[in-house]
Amino acid sequence: MGAARGFGVDIGGSGIKGCVVDLDAGVLVGDRVRIPTPVPSTPEAVAEVVAEIVERFEWAGPVGVTLPAVVKRGVAHSAANIHKSWIGTDAAALFAKRLGRPDGEVVVLNDADAAGIAEIRYGRPDDQEGVVVLLTFGTGIGSALFLDGRLVPNTEFGHLEIDGHDAETRAAASVKEEKDLSWDEWARRVTRYISGLENLIWPDLVIAGGGVSKKADKWLPLLDVRTRVVAAQLRNDAGIVGAAVAARQVTGG
Ligand code: BGC
């Protein structure tokens, strides 16, 4: 018998990515499909792309989908880097309908929570004790909080107010690009941000994720914070993997 499989779709501000996932190893099976996020990124337009991706793989089982938003019982309650009309949308029902699935076969969760689920399970299985927080540095800053390996969903630590600013507008990876900051300049901002966070929740471990974790050697050593900070192991595909895990858990497969 082959490995247990699932399917995950990761919706981001610039791309929507999906793939079959090997749930035993926590890796993608074959190549993922990536389609640019439609502009405007309305629920209907995004649902079309999600359906196109799932259909390309001819996947018939449960599907996990991430959104860069607070998601409670399938309903989006915020929309920081996607179209505002997501707020109040029952995303799980919308995707299930578009995919022709019964309710409950599509599970929707916050993107950073999904990345954290994957990272904790496959990347750091021996590092789960206590309070662990994964931060994803990308267009915005996402967060996933765990206590002894159990997720506390929908933390929005990227929006902590630091020095009078929404933190992600100062310390996201996109800000480094836009303002052409050196690693040193950006690391100072990230230090300020993590210091603010650690004074509030006193984590035992911070895991730094998002695309910029690929270059962890350039900036992790520059951070000056109390907590141990390590680079995520799973990198870009963590959202897809975590979404597939969540779908499997919720549908009881
Ligand atoms: C959103 C979060 C999301 C993060 C990363 C933030 O702006 O508020 O929900 O997890 O970006 O995409």
Side-chain angles (χ1 to χ4, degrees), residues 10-13 67-71 78-82 109-113 136-144 154-159 166 168:
D10 194 21
I11 298 175
L67 273 181
V70 169
V71 184
S78 67
N81 294 305
I82 43 167
L109 72 165
N110 172 264
D111 56 355
D113 283 349
T136 60
F137 293 91
T139 311
I141 299 177
S143 63
N154 290 311
T155 55
E156 286 282 325
F157 294 147
H159 298 296
D166 181 358
E168 73 172 21

mmCIF file of all heavy atoms in Angstrom, residues 10-13 67-71 78-82 109-113 136-144 154-159 166 168, ligand 1:
data_model
loop_
_atom_site.group_PDB
_atom_site.id
_atom_site.type_symbol
_atom_site.label_atom_id
_atom_site.label_comp_id
_atom_site.label_asym_id
_atom_site.label_seq_id
_atom_site.Cartn_x
_atom_site.Cartn_y
_atom_site.Cartn_z
ATOM 1 N N ASP A 10 -2.610 26.559 -1.048
ATOM 2 C CA ASP A 10 -2.130 27.695 -0.265
ATOM 3 C C ASP A 10 -2.427 28.971 -1.035
ATOM 4 O O ASP A 10 -1.871 29.190 -2.117
ATOM 5 C CB ASP A 10 -0.617 27.510 -0.059
ATOM 6 C CG ASP A 10 -0.053 28.434 1.004
ATOM 7 O OD1 ASP A 10 -0.824 28.925 1.847
ATOM 8 O OD2 ASP A 10 1.174 28.658 0.983
ATOM 9 N N ILE A 11 -3.303 29.795 -0.489
ATOM 10 C CA ILE A 11 -3.680 31.034 -1.181
ATOM 11 C C ILE A 11 -2.854 32.192 -0.633
ATOM 12 O O ILE A 11 -2.931 32.505 0.560
ATOM 13 C CB ILE A 11 -5.184 31.316 -1.001
ATOM 14 C CG1 ILE A 11 -6.002 30.178 -1.626
ATOM 15 C CG2 ILE A 11 -5.555 32.672 -1.611
ATOM 16 C CD1 ILE A 11 -7.497 30.297 -1.400
ATOM 17 N N GLY A 12 -2.090 32.806 -1.483
ATOM 18 C CA GLY A 12 -1.274 33.944 -1.060
ATOM 19 C C GLY A 12 -1.653 35.188 -1.838
ATOM 20 O O GLY A 12 -2.468 35.127 -2.773
ATOM 21 N N GLY A 13 -1.061 36.308 -1.479
ATOM 22 C CA GLY A 13 -1.349 37.569 -2.152
ATOM 23 C C GLY A 13 -0.935 37.564 -3.617
ATOM 24 O O GLY A 13 -1.549 38.208 -4.455
ATOM 25 N N LEU A 67 -5.956 30.570 3.846
ATOM 26 C CA LEU A 67 -6.241 31.965 3.483
ATOM 27 C C LEU A 67 -5.383 32.870 4.366
ATOM 28 O O LEU A 67 -5.176 32.544 5.536
ATOM 29 C CB LEU A 67 -7.705 32.305 3.784
ATOM 30 C CG LEU A 67 -8.782 32.027 2.762
ATOM 31 C CD1 LEU A 67 -10.121 32.490 3.335
ATOM 32 C CD2 LEU A 67 -8.510 32.741 1.449
ATOM 33 N N PRO A 68 -4.914 34.001 3.813
ATOM 34 C CA PRO A 68 -4.192 34.941 4.673
ATOM 35 C C PRO A 68 -5.193 35.763 5.488
ATOM 36 O O PRO A 68 -5.305 36.978 5.331
ATOM 37 C CB PRO A 68 -3.415 35.808 3.671
ATOM 38 C CG PRO A 68 -4.204 35.729 2.409
ATOM 39 C CD PRO A 68 -4.962 34.429 2.408
ATOM 40 N N ALA A 69 -5.927 35.098 6.361
ATOM 41 C CA ALA A 69 -7.019 35.739 7.092
ATOM 42 C C ALA A 69 -7.318 34.956 8.359
ATOM 43 O O ALA A 69 -6.955 33.785 8.469
ATOM 44 C CB ALA A 69 -8.284 35.758 6.213
ATOM 45 N N VAL A 70 -8.007 35.605 9.300
ATOM 46 C CA VAL A 70 -8.555 34.893 10.443
ATOM 47 C C VAL A 70 -9.695 34.028 9.918
ATOM 48 O O VAL A 70 -10.554 34.523 9.182
ATOM 49 C CB VAL A 70 -9.093 35.892 11.496
ATOM 50 C CG1 VAL A 70 -9.913 35.183 12.561
ATOM 51 C CG2 VAL A 70 -7.950 36.674 12.121
ATOM 52 N N VAL A 71 -9.689 32.742 10.247
ATOM 53 C CA VAL A 71 -10.743 31.848 9.748
ATOM 54 C C VAL A 71 -11.313 31.073 10.926
ATOM 55 O O VAL A 71 -10.601 30.350 11.618
ATOM 56 C CB VAL A 71 -10.189 30.837 8.713
ATOM 57 C CG1 VAL A 71 -11.331 29.997 8.140
ATOM 58 C CG2 VAL A 71 -9.451 31.543 7.583
ATOM 59 N N SER A 78 -11.138 38.430 8.488
ATOM 60 C CA SER A 78 -10.237 39.554 8.220
ATOM 61 C C SER A 78 -9.737 39.375 6.792
ATOM 62 O O SER A 78 -10.001 38.339 6.159
ATOM 63 C CB SER A 78 -9.059 39.553 9.213
ATOM 64 O OG SER A 78 -8.230 38.434 8.987
ATOM 65 N N ALA A 79 -9.010 40.350 6.290
ATOM 66 C CA ALA A 79 -8.494 40.262 4.919
ATOM 67 C C ALA A 79 -7.385 41.299 4.770
ATOM 68 O O ALA A 79 -7.614 42.379 4.248
ATOM 69 C CB ALA A 79 -9.618 40.521 3.919
ATOM 70 N N ALA A 80 -6.201 40.954 5.259
ATOM 71 C CA ALA A 80 -5.135 41.962 5.262
ATOM 72 C C ALA A 80 -4.495 42.139 3.888
ATOM 73 O O ALA A 80 -4.265 43.254 3.463
ATOM 74 C CB ALA A 80 -4.084 41.621 6.300
ATOM 75 N N ASN A 81 -4.221 41.032 3.199
ATOM 76 C CA ASN A 81 -3.563 41.152 1.890
ATOM 77 C C ASN A 81 -4.374 40.512 0.768
ATOM 78 O O ASN A 81 -3.821 40.092 -0.248
ATOM 79 C CB ASN A 81 -2.141 40.565 1.961
ATOM 80 C CG ASN A 81 -1.247 41.379 2.888
ATOM 81 O OD1 ASN A 81 -1.100 42.581 2.706
ATOM 82 N ND2 ASN A 81 -0.693 40.741 3.906
ATOM 83 N N ILE A 82 -5.661 40.402 0.977
ATOM 84 C CA ILE A 82 -6.578 39.919 -0.068
ATOM 85 C C ILE A 82 -7.809 40.832 -0.107
ATOM 86 O O ILE A 82 -7.974 41.682 0.766
ATOM 87 C CB ILE A 82 -7.047 38.447 0.162
ATOM 88 C CG1 ILE A 82 -7.397 38.216 1.628
ATOM 89 C CG2 ILE A 82 -6.031 37.455 -0.359
ATOM 90 C CD1 ILE A 82 -8.152 36.938 1.881
ATOM 91 N N LEU A 109 -8.244 27.197 6.673
ATOM 92 C CA LEU A 109 -7.557 27.688 7.868
ATOM 93 C C LEU A 109 -6.591 28.811 7.507
ATOM 94 O O LEU A 109 -6.276 29.005 6.332
ATOM 95 C CB LEU A 109 -6.844 26.548 8.605
ATOM 96 C CG LEU A 109 -5.585 25.923 8.004
ATOM 97 C CD1 LEU A 109 -4.879 25.093 9.074
ATOM 98 C CD2 LEU A 109 -5.897 25.041 6.812
ATOM 99 N N ASN A 110 -6.144 29.509 8.511
ATOM 100 C CA ASN A 110 -5.182 30.604 8.312
ATOM 101 C C ASN A 110 -3.871 30.062 7.733
ATOM 102 O O ASN A 110 -3.416 28.982 8.101
ATOM 103 C CB ASN A 110 -4.937 31.290 9.668
ATOM 104 C CG ASN A 110 -3.813 32.295 9.616
ATOM 105 O OD1 ASN A 110 -2.668 31.982 9.952
ATOM 106 N ND2 ASN A 110 -4.106 33.502 9.169
ATOM 107 N N ASP A 111 -3.252 30.830 6.847
ATOM 108 C CA ASP A 111 -2.047 30.341 6.162
ATOM 109 C C ASP A 111 -0.869 30.069 7.100
ATOM 110 O O ASP A 111 -0.169 29.056 6.974
ATOM 111 C CB ASP A 111 -1.634 31.307 5.026
ATOM 112 C CG ASP A 111 -1.416 32.741 5.482
ATOM 113 O OD1 ASP A 111 -1.667 33.056 6.667
ATOM 114 O OD2 ASP A 111 -0.985 33.564 4.643
ATOM 115 N N ALA A 112 -0.664 30.962 8.063
ATOM 116 C CA ALA A 112 0.469 30.753 8.979
ATOM 117 C C ALA A 112 0.181 29.572 9.923
ATOM 118 O O ALA A 112 1.089 28.807 10.269
ATOM 119 C CB ALA A 112 0.736 32.018 9.783
ATOM 120 N N ASP A 113 -1.070 29.420 10.314
ATOM 121 C CA ASP A 113 -1.426 28.253 11.142
ATOM 122 C C ASP A 113 -1.102 26.960 10.381
ATOM 123 O O ASP A 113 -0.572 26.002 10.950
ATOM 124 C CB ASP A 113 -2.915 28.275 11.515
ATOM 125 C CG ASP A 113 -3.222 29.269 12.635
ATOM 126 O OD1 ASP A 113 -2.266 29.774 13.257
ATOM 127 O OD2 ASP A 113 -4.408 29.533 12.875
ATOM 128 N N THR A 136 5.849 33.819 9.948
ATOM 129 C CA THR A 136 6.155 33.755 8.523
ATOM 130 C C THR A 136 6.389 35.176 8.021
ATOM 131 O O THR A 136 5.523 36.041 8.135
ATOM 132 C CB THR A 136 5.018 33.101 7.713
ATOM 133 O OG1 THR A 136 3.818 33.867 7.878
ATOM 134 C CG2 THR A 136 4.768 31.678 8.175
ATOM 135 N N PHE A 137 7.580 35.403 7.499
ATOM 136 C CA PHE A 137 7.928 36.721 6.975
ATOM 137 C C PHE A 137 7.762 36.703 5.464
ATOM 138 O O PHE A 137 8.514 36.034 4.753
ATOM 139 C CB PHE A 137 9.373 37.075 7.347
ATOM 140 C CG PHE A 137 9.573 37.271 8.830
ATOM 141 C CD1 PHE A 137 9.932 36.199 9.643
ATOM 142 C CD2 PHE A 137 9.377 38.511 9.408
ATOM 143 C CE1 PHE A 137 10.099 36.377 11.010
ATOM 144 C CE2 PHE A 137 9.542 38.699 10.779
ATOM 145 C CZ PHE A 137 9.905 37.626 11.575
ATOM 146 N N GLY A 138 6.736 37.377 4.975
ATOM 147 C CA GLY A 138 6.476 37.411 3.534
ATOM 148 C C GLY A 138 5.911 38.769 3.175
ATOM 149 O O GLY A 138 6.453 39.796 3.590
ATOM 150 N N THR A 139 4.787 38.777 2.437
ATOM 151 C CA THR A 139 4.105 40.031 2.124
ATOM 152 C C THR A 139 3.720 40.719 3.434
ATOM 153 O O THR A 139 3.882 41.920 3.612
ATOM 154 C CB THR A 139 2.819 39.762 1.309
ATOM 155 O OG1 THR A 139 3.147 38.889 0.245
ATOM 156 C CG2 THR A 139 2.219 41.030 0.791
ATOM 157 N N GLY A 140 3.170 39.920 4.362
ATOM 158 C CA GLY A 140 2.879 40.394 5.716
ATOM 159 C C GLY A 140 3.686 39.567 6.700
ATOM 160 O O GLY A 140 4.697 38.957 6.328
ATOM 161 N N ILE A 141 3.256 39.564 7.959
ATOM 162 C CA ILE A 141 3.842 38.641 8.936
ATOM 163 C C ILE A 141 2.702 37.792 9.480
ATOM 164 O O ILE A 141 1.708 38.326 9.995
ATOM 165 C CB ILE A 141 4.540 39.370 10.108
ATOM 166 C CG1 ILE A 141 5.688 40.249 9.598
ATOM 167 C CG2 ILE A 141 5.063 38.357 11.131
ATOM 168 C CD1 ILE A 141 6.396 41.057 10.700
ATOM 169 N N GLY A 142 2.843 36.476 9.332
ATOM 170 C CA GLY A 142 1.845 35.558 9.873
ATOM 171 C C GLY A 142 2.382 34.910 11.134
ATOM 172 O O GLY A 142 3.602 34.868 11.346
ATOM 173 N N SER A 143 1.477 34.403 11.973
ATOM 174 C CA SER A 143 1.941 33.735 13.196
ATOM 175 C C SER A 143 1.128 32.495 13.492
ATOM 176 O O SER A 143 -0.064 32.418 13.156
ATOM 177 C CB SER A 143 1.855 34.705 14.386
ATOM 178 O OG SER A 143 0.513 35.083 14.624
ATOM 179 N N ALA A 144 1.796 31.508 14.099
ATOM 180 C CA ALA A 144 1.110 30.297 14.568
ATOM 181 C C ALA A 144 1.670 29.984 15.949
ATOM 182 O O ALA A 144 2.877 29.836 16.118
ATOM 183 C CB ALA A 144 1.360 29.138 13.615
ATOM 184 N N ASN A 154 -5.424 31.271 14.892
ATOM 185 C CA ASN A 154 -5.784 32.662 14.575
ATOM 186 C C ASN A 154 -5.101 33.735 15.414
ATOM 187 O O ASN A 154 -5.663 34.813 15.617
ATOM 188 C CB ASN A 154 -7.310 32.850 14.642
ATOM 189 C CG ASN A 154 -8.011 32.132 13.515
ATOM 190 O OD1 ASN A 154 -7.624 32.271 12.366
ATOM 191 N ND2 ASN A 154 -9.036 31.347 13.836
ATOM 192 N N THR A 155 -3.892 33.466 15.899
ATOM 193 C CA THR A 155 -3.155 34.577 16.504
ATOM 194 C C THR A 155 -2.765 35.488 15.339
ATOM 195 O O THR A 155 -2.485 35.019 14.245
ATOM 196 C CB THR A 155 -1.885 34.095 17.224
ATOM 197 O OG1 THR A 155 -1.083 33.346 16.312
ATOM 198 C CG2 THR A 155 -2.233 33.231 18.428
ATOM 199 N N GLU A 156 -2.786 36.754 15.562
ATOM 200 C CA GLU A 156 -2.449 37.709 14.484
ATOM 201 C C GLU A 156 -1.305 38.575 14.976
ATOM 202 O O GLU A 156 -1.380 39.805 14.963
ATOM 203 C CB GLU A 156 -3.694 38.537 14.134
ATOM 204 C CG GLU A 156 -4.752 37.780 13.337
ATOM 205 C CD GLU A 156 -4.370 37.665 11.864
ATOM 206 O OE1 GLU A 156 -3.768 38.598 11.313
ATOM 207 O OE2 GLU A 156 -4.673 36.626 11.254
ATOM 208 N N PHE A 157 -0.206 37.924 15.350
ATOM 209 C CA PHE A 157 0.910 38.662 15.937
ATOM 210 C C PHE A 157 1.615 39.561 14.933
ATOM 211 O O PHE A 157 2.400 40.417 15.326
ATOM 212 C CB PHE A 157 1.925 37.699 16.560
ATOM 213 C CG PHE A 157 1.403 36.936 17.756
ATOM 214 C CD1 PHE A 157 1.827 35.640 18.008
ATOM 215 C CD2 PHE A 157 0.498 37.514 18.633
ATOM 216 C CE1 PHE A 157 1.368 34.926 19.112
ATOM 217 C CE2 PHE A 157 0.024 36.819 19.744
ATOM 218 C CZ PHE A 157 0.463 35.523 19.982
ATOM 219 N N GLY A 158 1.354 39.373 13.655
ATOM 220 C CA GLY A 158 1.947 40.264 12.652
ATOM 221 C C GLY A 158 1.418 41.680 12.779
ATOM 222 O O GLY A 158 2.021 42.626 12.287
ATOM 223 N N HIS A 159 0.277 41.818 13.451
ATOM 224 C CA HIS A 159 -0.329 43.146 13.584
ATOM 225 C C HIS A 159 -0.110 43.763 14.956
ATOM 226 O O HIS A 159 -0.819 44.698 15.338
ATOM 227 C CB HIS A 159 -1.827 43.059 13.265
ATOM 228 C CG HIS A 159 -2.100 42.618 11.860
ATOM 229 N ND1 HIS A 159 -1.729 43.351 10.764
ATOM 230 C CD2 HIS A 159 -2.654 41.479 11.380
ATOM 231 C CE1 HIS A 159 -2.070 42.700 9.664
ATOM 232 N NE2 HIS A 159 -2.628 41.554 10.006
ATOM 233 N N ASP A 166 1.788 49.226 12.771
ATOM 234 C CA ASP A 166 1.400 47.833 12.570
ATOM 235 C C ASP A 166 2.699 47.096 12.194
ATOM 236 O O ASP A 166 3.337 47.429 11.185
ATOM 237 C CB ASP A 166 0.381 47.807 11.423
ATOM 238 C CG ASP A 166 -0.140 46.416 11.120
ATOM 239 O OD1 ASP A 166 0.307 45.444 11.759
ATOM 240 O OD2 ASP A 166 -0.999 46.309 10.231
ATOM 241 N N GLU A 168 3.768 44.446 10.776
ATOM 242 C CA GLU A 168 4.118 43.901 9.460
ATOM 243 C C GLU A 168 4.439 44.983 8.434
ATOM 244 O O GLU A 168 5.118 44.721 7.456
ATOM 245 C CB GLU A 168 3.050 42.930 8.949
ATOM 246 C CG GLU A 168 1.760 43.548 8.494
ATOM 247 C CD GLU A 168 0.836 42.537 7.819
ATOM 248 O OE1 GLU A 168 0.979 41.332 8.025
ATOM 249 O OE2 GLU A 168 -0.056 42.998 7.081
HETATM 250 C C1 BGC B 1 -2.751 38.430 7.990
HETATM 251 C C2 BGC B 1 -2.641 37.050 8.572
HETATM 252 C C3 BGC B 1 -1.737 36.182 7.684
HETATM 253 C C4 BGC B 1 -0.419 36.879 7.426
HETATM 254 C C5 BGC B 1 0.473 36.106 6.485
HETATM 255 C C6 BGC B 1 -1.367 39.008 7.776
HETATM 256 O O1 BGC B 1 -1.475 40.280 7.199
HETATM 257 O O2 BGC B 1 -3.476 39.276 8.867
HETATM 258 O O3 BGC B 1 -3.930 36.461 8.686
HETATM 259 O O4 BGC B 1 -1.529 34.951 8.305
HETATM 260 O O5 BGC B 1 -0.618 38.163 6.901
HETATM 261 O O6 BGC B 1 -0.108 35.958 5.226
#
